[in-house]
């Protein structure tokens, strides 16, 4: 297996050449790293008959990437570079500054409409209504972020498993365990699978059991 350090996408559309990916040749892991690196290694070392069999997966989504390997290495890489996405301009998305509230704490005033029983309960909490509301919102945000991470990991694992392990023993049972959040059962069911495929699934599924 050939590996090189990966560049990660963080809340922005990365250049295709920067996408972190993993390539498989038949059932074995061939290379991992940036798409630019993996494609270059594959083009320089594999015959055309092998390139046809090569599958490259996006490490974020678990989906296969469609690569046009026609031409020489420079031409293939040039096509990748020409697909580079535009990174959003932060100035365009910058929100105008607001002067209301307490600047030192970053507090912004607003209106909340609640029933009397809700106000009574909030006022009875330690710290009062404002502190309690902020704590409740922060907790809800954390729960939402965790649910999002779980969903992303589940979907990435599903896409890869469907493409590479659909005919493996206990495939359907493993998928059910994945979506049920049964970590021990899931890893037990895939333990005898081809090592390269099994280990990559473990990497994709890591966030599904938090």
């Amino acid at each position: 297996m050939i590996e090189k350090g990966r560049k990660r996408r963080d809340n922005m559309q990365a250049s295709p050449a920067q996408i972190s990916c993993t390539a498989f040749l038949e059932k074995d892991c061939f290379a991992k790293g940036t798409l630019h690196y993996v494609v270059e290694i594959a083009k320089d070392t594999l015959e055309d008959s092998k390139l046809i069999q090569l599958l490259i997966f996006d490490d974020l989504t678990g989906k296969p990437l469609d690569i046009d390997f026609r031409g020489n290495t420079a031409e293939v890489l040039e096509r990748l570079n020409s697909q580079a996405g535009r990174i959003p301009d932060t100035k365009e998305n910058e929100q105008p500054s607001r002067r209301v509230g307490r600047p030192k704490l970053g507090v912004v005033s607003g209106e909340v409409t609640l029933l009397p029983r809700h106000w009574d309960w909030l006022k009875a909490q330690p710290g009062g209504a404002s502190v309690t509301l902020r704590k409740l919102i922060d907790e809800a945000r954390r729960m939402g972020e965790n649910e999002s991470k779980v969903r992303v990991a589940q979907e990435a694992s599903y896409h890869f498993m469907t493409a590479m392990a659909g005919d493996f023993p206990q495939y359907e049972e493993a998928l059910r365990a994945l979506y049920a959040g049964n970590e021990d059962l899931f890893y037990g069911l895939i333990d005898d699978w081809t090592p390269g495929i099994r280990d990559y699934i473990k990497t994709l599924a890591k966030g599904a059991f938090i």
Side-chain angles (χ1 to χ4, degrees):
M1 180 188 70
I2 305 170
E3 183 171 4
K4 185 178 181 180
R6 308 178 189 180
K7 295 182 181 179
R8 190 175 183 84
R9 287 167 289 172
D10 294 320
N11 299 325
M12 61 178 61
Q13 183 180 8
S15 161
Q18 296 174 325
I19 293 174
S20 176
C21 64
T22 301
F24 285 82
L25 188 58
E26 296 181 348
K27 301 296 184 181
D28 297 322
C29 183
F30 169 76
K32 55 177 60 180
T34 65
L35 181 57
H36 189 289
Y37 170 77
V38 170
V39 167
E40 184 175 17
I41 289 295
K43 186 64 179 176
D44 287 345
T45 61
L46 297 179
E47 299 176 355
D48 289 344
S49 59
K50 293 293 186 181
L51 284 173
I52 295 175
Q53 302 175 41
L54 189 72
L55 290 175
I56 302 177
F57 292 89
D58 186 326
D59 290 338
L60 184 65
T61 67
K63 294 181 179 181
L65 299 168
D66 187 17
I67 306 299
D68 185 352
F69 281 105
R70 291 176 300 171
N72 58 37
T73 301
E75 291 170 337
V76 175
L77 295 178
E78 177 60 30
R79 277 196 294 272
L80 276 182
N81 292 333
S82 68
Q83 297 169 7
R86 177 177 176 273
I87 297 177
D89 186 342
T90 55
K91 291 184 178 180
E92 291 181 1
N93 297 311
E94 203 172 66
Q95 297 297 322
S97 59
R98 302 184 65 174
R99 299 179 179 275
V100 295
R102 305 174 192 173
K104 290 183 180 180
L105 298 178
V107 176
V108 178
S109 62
E111 181 179 335
V112 177
T113 303
L114 299 173
L115 295 174
R117 66 175 182 273
H118 298 145
W119 282 118
D120 291 341
W121 182 84
L122 283 171
K123 291 175 183 178
Q125 304 307 305
S130 296
V131 171
T132 302
L133 282 174
R134 287 198 290 269
K135 289 181 178 179
L136 290 173
I137 292 170
D138 287 340
E139 180 61 26
R141 289 180 62 188
R142 280 192 293 271
M143 291 180 61
E145 289 171 358
N146 287 339
E147 290 174 358
S148 178
K149 290 178 181 178
V150 169
R151 185 167 57 252
V152 168
Q154 287 175 336
E155 290 301 301
S157 302
Y158 166 78
H159 290 305
F160 178 74
M161 289 170 64
T162 300
M164 294 294 290
D167 59 348
F168 281 18
Q170 304 180 110
Y171 159 77
E172 293 184 358
E173 291 86 345
L175 277 183
R176 284 195 287 269
L178 171 70
Y179 281 99
N182 192 330
E183 182 176 9
D184 292 338
L185 178 60
F186 175 74
Y187 288 130
L189 289 168
I190 70 172
D191 190 54
D192 292 331
W193 290 5
T194 304
I197 292 177
R198 178 199 62 209
D199 293 344
Y200 187 57
I201 292 172
K202 287 183 177 181
T203 299
L204 294 174
K206 189 175 298 183
F209 305 105
I210 58 177

